[in-house]
């Protein structure tokens, strides 16, 4: 009996290096890796000469807005964007409406989304002031982890008290699932926001209102709590404070950190040009901090890359006053090409990108080795890329419902050619093929 699919002549990229080999896939799993002559016969053969084969990207940070805010995005459009962009698994954030704060809401969300997913998906539960007793139930229902916010974001989630946060960390140490935290602390951002609002509406004021110390204060607190409680804390969209993360890791605290492409390619100077389109929380930082962040990506302080895909309508994003505009930008479709471009520019090693974009998120969240790796027995999820191909990102070509993005006009070198999900091609050269074929995945 022939196997379903054979990937021939590609160069496989792993965290340990690159090598040329063929990959045989059957019933959604990788069944053999080796020289082409040693492979079984296959129903379908893809010749990947000149292309690189990466494990499918795992984006542990997206806001697809369904249910509750589907004018911004919905699961069909958001996961189409993921597929087109070379992402095979997304972790959906819980600041949808109703907020995902208990088992019932989580199960309802899973059942609502399961037929609308072009890629595999996982769901976060949310930690709020009064739901410690719900965390175990959400874990049982299949939550990939939890989200905690020290700042206020879309959906209007209040910041829980420090006592509650510490108690929930102790509970999470027992449950074993990680908590992804938005570390910017509201105390400082509120103070400066109020102060600056009185005098300016300029885009740069958004950065001044949320200075690095706000994020550093949060990281500091979380490191202390995590070290004592012994739970796993994943810092999302890290933009600064990497020295504190490094120090926390050295104490043995179970801390990991994500950053996003937007913090690696844009700086405060871009606020003048892009204005509120680039309004994100935390804000983009100055060039010296961007440089430090790139170093932290390379030295292992930063563990993962996520998109923080956070769509808003054009109207919400383009207000005259920076204070009125919504925070967040789309990114699930542009993450892989932008990161490949950084590899081509020599800023990040190709093998390191595979670790950041696939292996580490899968390991941190308990999906490894089903996801995140090219290994016999793993899901046959691949992001096949052309490192030579150049392209200019055009907002109007993206698959998201709301296409406004700071990456419009950004020149990339390196683009996904095939997105393969459990052995099926779900997107080819930016075109999404029939589906949706994604599934709800538990840790
Ligand atoms: O800018 C942001 N927007 N940062 C977040 O952390 C949340 C997000 C959103 O949901 O809009
Ligand atoms: Zn987010």
């Amino acid at each position: 009996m022939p196997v379903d699919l054979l990937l021939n002549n590609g160069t496989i990229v792993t965290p340990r290096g690159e090598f040329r080999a063929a990959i045989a896939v059957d019933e959604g799993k990788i069944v053999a890796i080796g020289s082409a002559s040693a492979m079984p016969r296959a129903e379908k053969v893809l010749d990947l000469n000149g292309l690189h084969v990466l494990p499918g990207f795992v984006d542990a940070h997206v806001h697809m807005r369904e249910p509750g805010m589907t004018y911004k995005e919905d699961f069909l459009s958001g996961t189409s964007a993921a597929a087109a962009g070379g992402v095979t698994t997304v972790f959906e954030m819980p600041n949808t409406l109703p907020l995902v704060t208990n088992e019932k809401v989580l199960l309802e969300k899973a059942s609502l989304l399961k037929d609308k997913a072009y890629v595999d998906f996982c769901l976060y539960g949310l930690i709020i002031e009064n739901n410690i007793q719900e965390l175990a139930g959400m874990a049982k229902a299949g939550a990939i982890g939890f989200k905690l916010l020290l700042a206020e974001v879309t959906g209007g989630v209040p910041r829980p008290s420090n006592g509650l946060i510490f108690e929930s960390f102790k509970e999470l140490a027992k449950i074993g699932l990680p908590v992804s935290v938005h570390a910017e602390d509201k105390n400082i951002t509120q103070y400066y926001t109020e102060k600056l609002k009185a005098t300016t509406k300029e885009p740069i004021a958004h950065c001044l209102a949320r200075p690095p110390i706000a994020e550093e204060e949060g990281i500091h607190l979380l490191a202390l709590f995590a070290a004592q409680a012994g739970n796993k804390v994943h810092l999302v969209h890290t933009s600064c404070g990497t020295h504190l993360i490094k120090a926390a890791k050295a104490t043995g605290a179970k801390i990991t950190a994500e950053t996003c492409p937007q913090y690696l390619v844009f700086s405060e100077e871009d606020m003048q040009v892009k204005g509120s389109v680039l309004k994100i929380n935390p804000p983009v930082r100055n060039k010296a901090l961007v440089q430090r962040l790139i170093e932290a990506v390379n030295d292992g302080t930063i563990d993962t890359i996520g998109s923080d895909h956070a769509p808003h309508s054009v109207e919400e994003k383009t207000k005259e006053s920076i204070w009125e505009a919504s925070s967040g930008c789309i990114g699930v479709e542009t993450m892989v090409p932008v990161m490949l471009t950084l590899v081509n520019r020599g800023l990040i090693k190709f093998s390191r990108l595979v670790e950041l974009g696939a292996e580490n998120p899968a390991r941190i969240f308990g999906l490894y080795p089903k996801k995140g790796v090219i290994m016999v027995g793993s899901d046959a999820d691949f992001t096949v890329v052309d490192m030579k191909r150049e392209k200019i990102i055009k907002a109007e070509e993206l698959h998201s419902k709301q296409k406004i993005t700071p990456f419009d006009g950004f020149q990339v070198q390196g683009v996904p050619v095939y997105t393969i999900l459990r052995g099926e091609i779900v997107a080819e050269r930016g075109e999404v093929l029939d589906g949706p074929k994604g599934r709800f995945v538990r840790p």
Side-chain angles (χ1 to χ4, degrees):
M1 277 278 282
V3 297
D4 296 334
L5 176 69
L6 197 55
L7 305 181
N8 258 349
N9 293 320
T11 301
I12 299 175
V13 189
T14 77
R16 264 80 44 198
E18 300 180 15
F19 59 97
R20 276 193 83 143
I23 303 170
V25 171
D26 202 42
E27 294 185 351
K29 302 275 183 196
I30 299 173
V31 293
I33 305 168
S35 66
S37 60
M39 289 297 114
R41 275 190 311 115
E43 300 273 354
K44 183 179 168 98
V45 179
L46 277 186
D47 182 7
L48 305 181
N49 193 23
L51 304 179
H52 288 88
V53 184
L54 282 50
F57 273 71
V58 177
D59 184 350
H61 191 166
V62 302
H63 301 262
M64 300 305 191
R65 308 299 195 197
E66 185 164 355
M69 289 173 279
T70 50
Y71 69 95
K72 294 178 194 275
E73 187 77 290
D74 61 40
F75 217 57
L76 281 171
S77 58
T79 56
S80 302
V87 170
T88 53
T89 305
V90 294
F91 295 6
E92 162 67 3
M93 284 294 174
N95 59 332
T96 39
L97 302 172
L99 298 171
V100 183
T101 55
N102 61 48
E103 181 180 349
K104 181 166 171 281
V105 178
L106 192 131
L107 288 171
E108 279 166 6
K109 187 169 175 181
S111 105
L112 174 73
L113 302 185
K114 77 176 180 349
D115 299 322
K116 305 180 177 188
Y118 278 89
V119 296
D120 281 356
F121 69 100
C122 305
L123 295 180
Y124 278 104
L126 183 67
I127 298 178
I128 51 166
E129 186 69 36
N130 286 312
N131 73 337
I132 288 192
Q133 70 290 353
E134 306 288 348
L135 304 183
M138 286 192 273
K140 193 176 92 220
I144 191 69
F146 297 92
K147 178 77 180 282
L148 168 71
L149 298 143
L150 302 187
E152 270 180 30
V153 296
T154 308
V157 188
R159 180 204 192 283
S161 66
N162 285 356
L164 181 281
I165 292 171
F166 188 57
E167 273 304 298
S168 65
F169 279 17
K170 289 198 282 184
E171 172 74 3
L172 291 180
K174 286 185 225 149
I175 294 173
L177 292 178
V179 58
S180 289
V181 193
H182 183 132
E184 263 187 313
D185 202 306
K186 184 182 149 184
N187 290 304
I188 293 179
T189 58
Q190 250 181 359
Y191 173 81
Y192 284 110
T193 303
E194 290 312 316
K195 194 169 161 185
L196 284 156
K197 255 187 181 173
T199 57
T200 173
K201 311 189 235 181
E202 289 307 307
I204 191 65
H206 176 65
C207 301
L208 302 175
R210 308 179 82 98
I213 192 70
E215 196 172 344
E216 289 165 356
E217 183 206 11
I219 295 170
H220 199 71
L221 176 89
L222 295 162
L224 180 68
F225 284 12
Q228 292 234 350
N231 65 319
K232 294 182 200 153
V233 172
H234 187 57
L235 303 165
V236 292
H237 47 46
T238 304
S239 70
C240 64
T242 49
H243 57 295
L244 298 172
I245 300 171
K246 209 183 237 178
K249 285 184 171 187
T251 68
K254 293 179 190 148
I255 283 220
T256 51
E258 167 200 88
T259 193
C260 317
Q262 48 273 34
Y263 297 107
L264 297 170
V265 302
F266 297 125
S267 68
E268 282 175 0
E269 284 169 28
D270 296 295
M271 284 308 278
Q272 319 291 357
V273 188
K274 297 188 183 282
S276 53
V277 177
L278 188 55
K279 183 183 180 190
I280 53 177
N281 291 334
V284 291
R285 303 298 186 187
N286 68 35
K287 285 210 161 132
L289 286 176
V290 172
Q291 190 49 43
R292 268 218 228 161
L293 191 61
I294 294 172
E295 283 159 24
V297 162
N298 286 309
D299 75 12
T301 305
I302 297 290
D303 301 274
T304 69
I305 288 284
S307 67
D308 193 7
H309 182 78
H312 297 285
S313 71
V314 174
E315 211 215 329
E316 290 167 324
K317 283 300 291 173
T318 54
K319 301 279 187 194
E320 199 215 300
S321 161
I322 190 69
W323 308 115
E324 302 303 316
S326 296
S327 281
C329 66
I330 58 173
V332 73
E333 190 167 350
T334 49
M335 175 174 74
V336 172
V338 171
M339 293 309 297
L340 295 174
T341 305
L342 299 187
V343 170
N344 269 321
R345 288 187 195 165
L347 293 173
I348 296 170
K349 282 210 187 103
F350 210 175
S351 54
R352 179 75 187 132
L353 176 59
V354 170
E355 210 164 29
L356 293 158
E359 185 162 319
N360 284 351
R363 279 188 191 274
I364 291 166
F365 289 92
L367 295 181
Y368 186 92
K370 177 180 166 67
K371 304 287 189 193
V373 61
I374 296 177
M375 194 161 91
V376 170
S378 297
D379 278 3
D381 296 348
F382 307 101
T383 305
V384 179
V385 305
D386 182 344
M387 289 303 276
K388 296 222 171 76
R389 179 90 191 283
E390 296 184 32
K391 196 181 147 179
I392 292 174
I393 293 174
K394 295 203 180 84
E396 77 263 20
E397 290 173 3
L398 298 175
H399 290 76
S400 278
K401 202 178 260 188
Q402 300 289 347
K403 301 177 196 297
I404 185 165
T405 167
F407 291 103
D408 188 35
F410 191 88
Q411 164 100 37
V412 295
Q413 188 189 354
V415 296
V417 178
Y418 297 106
T419 307
I420 301 174
L421 178 68
R422 286 179 276 98
E424 296 203 53
I425 302 172
V426 293
E428 182 172 348
R429 293 172 211 283
E431 291 283 319
V432 179
L433 307 181
D434 31 293
K437 292 175 179 152
R439 290 184 192 155
F440 177 47
V441 179
R442 296 153 166 271

